[in-house]
């Protein structure tokens, strides 16, 4: 290695060490331009306040209370928007006295569906009033009859019973006490119930 | 120095947010906002096309949706479900021809069932016009049921139309149906049971209703 620098490097070093002559008015010109810039508006200031990250002091107890409140709001909103159909309209269930009401045009909004099926393990009623999703029926104390009370809107409703046997078989059964609807290519025929004044 | 959120609080807040997010869909499920979501996408697409056509044609779309859901509930092959929905759509168009559009949804459904049971379009059209408060729905449901229980279409149509034209009330038609039903269950021929019971119905002529001549019969249907 030699201590003698390359002439070109030496020239660069000298140039770098040479003091830079700055125009005394340059600082003034720059500051004048800065002062000419409009200050940030209030709108942007508020937005910056909203999005600016910050630390939130929160104890575990307050955090838990806040969480419980949010859950409560969610449950309340969800519960209050569920459509309960005519149940909310009538406010109470009324049992239809007639044991086989689907034949009759009743003025109550609650219809009691009844099926005698002593061998069944479970029985459900499905129809247009529950979007063809099963509503379970309960076995009466006698053990052979199944029933369920469902609030129905006035008009014509189509339904059937789904009987699950003890041996695991499932059978769609029309109500033997009600008028029949024609079979239309979907298998088991359905029954018809007329409800309320609009039946006329 | 600003205190920061403790780790425990952050966990609680995150858990609450996740739970809240999980609860809202549950509430939506309870409302069943989209019943057709139970169908497979291809079937749903076809059903929605039919429903859209029905909407344009001015026939009730809910009956079509319910028919699709019925097929799904009965685990019927998708092709048959679509065929049933399409058939119902065409039947509803026929109902509109026969009875007009001034029907409620129940009457649309009952009239469609009557046509599907074999009542001819001309026979159904005789129920059109001024009802004077008479029970069209009960008449159509009873007519359909009698045919389903074995009464010939022509006899059932004639009997119910005769009652209808004479101004029969809902109780008259229901009474007839109940009597015939009992007779059929006791072993009588359905047609004979209807003819016998029809003579027993005491019908009061409603104001404004016309009594048809004895020879007036509905067109002989092709059942």
């Amino acid at each position: 290695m030699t201590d003698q620098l390359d002439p070109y490097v030496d020239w660069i070093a000298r140039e770098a060490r040479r003091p830079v002559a700055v125009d005394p008015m340059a600082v003034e010109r720059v500051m004048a331009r800065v002062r000419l810039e409009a200050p940030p508006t209030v709108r942007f200031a508020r937005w910056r306040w909203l999005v600016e990250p910050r630390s939130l002091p929160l104890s575990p107890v307050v955090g838990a209370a806040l969480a419980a409140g949010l859950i409560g709001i969610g449950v309340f909103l969800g519960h209050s928007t569920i459509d309960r159909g005519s149940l909310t309209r009538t406010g109470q269930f009324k049992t239809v006295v007639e044991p086989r009401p689907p034949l009759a045009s009743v003025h109550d909004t609650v219809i009691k569906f009844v099926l005698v099926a002593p061998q069944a393990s479970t029985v459900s009623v499905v129809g247009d009033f529950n979007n063809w999703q099963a509503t379970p029926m309960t076995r009466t104390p006698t053990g052979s009859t199944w029933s369920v009370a469902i609030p129905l809107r006035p008009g014509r409703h189509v339904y059937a019973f789904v009987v699950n046997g003890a041996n695991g078989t499932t059978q769609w059964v029309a109500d033997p006490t009600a008028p029949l609807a024609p079979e239309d290519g979907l298998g088991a025929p359905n029954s018809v119930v007329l409800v309320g004044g609009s039946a006329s | 120095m600003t205190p920061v959120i403790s780790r425990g609080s952050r966990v609680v807040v995150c858990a609450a947010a996740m739970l809240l997010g999980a609860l809202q869909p549950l509430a939506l499920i309870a409302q069943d906002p989209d019943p057709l979501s139970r169908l497979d996408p291809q079937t749903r697409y076809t059903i929605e096309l039919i429903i859209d056509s029905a909407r344009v044609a001015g026939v009730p779309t809910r009956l079509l949706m319910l028919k699709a859901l019925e097929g799904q509930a009965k685990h019927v092959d998708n092709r048959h479900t679509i065929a049933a929905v399409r058939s119902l759509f065409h039947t509803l168009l026929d109902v509109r021809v026969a009875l007009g559009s001034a029907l409620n949804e129940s009457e649309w459904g009952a009239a469609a069932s009557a046509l599907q049971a074999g009542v001819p379009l001309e026979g159904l059209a005789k129920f059109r016009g001024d009802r004077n408060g008479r029970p069209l729905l009960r008449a159509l449901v009873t007519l359909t049921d009698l045919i389903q229980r074995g009464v010939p279409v022509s006899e059932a149509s004639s009997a119910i139309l005769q009652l209808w034209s004479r101004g029969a009330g809902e109780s008259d038609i229901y009474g007839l149906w109940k009597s015939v039903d009992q007779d059929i269950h006791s072993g009588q021929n359905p047609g004979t049971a209807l003819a016998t019971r029809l003579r027993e119905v005491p019908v009061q002529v409603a104001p404004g209703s016309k009594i048809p001549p004895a020879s007036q019969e509905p067109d002989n249907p092709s059942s």
Side-chain angles (χ1 to χ4, degrees), chain B residues 82-122:
Chain B
I82 292 170
V85 174
R86 186 173 285 126
S87 171
L88 178 58
F89 171 47
H90 290 130
T91 307
L92 291 171
L93 293 177
D94 289 341
V95 168
R96 190 179 59 182
V97 171
L99 297 177
S101 299
L103 305 170
N104 62 41
E105 186 183 283
S106 291
E107 289 167 342
W108 278 102
S113 284
L115 289 178
Q116 287 174 333
V119 176
L121 206 58
E122 306 80 45

Side-chain angles (χ1 to χ4, degrees), chain A residues 136-169:
Chain A
M137 300 173 74
T138 53
R139 193 194 290 263
T140 56
T142 58
S144 61
T145 305
W146 299 77
S147 69
V148 66
I150 300 177
L152 297 183
R153 293 175 183 168
R156 171 183 178 268
H157 297 279
V158 182
Y159 68 98
F161 296 116
V162 182
V163 180
N164 293 308
N167 54 0
T169 58

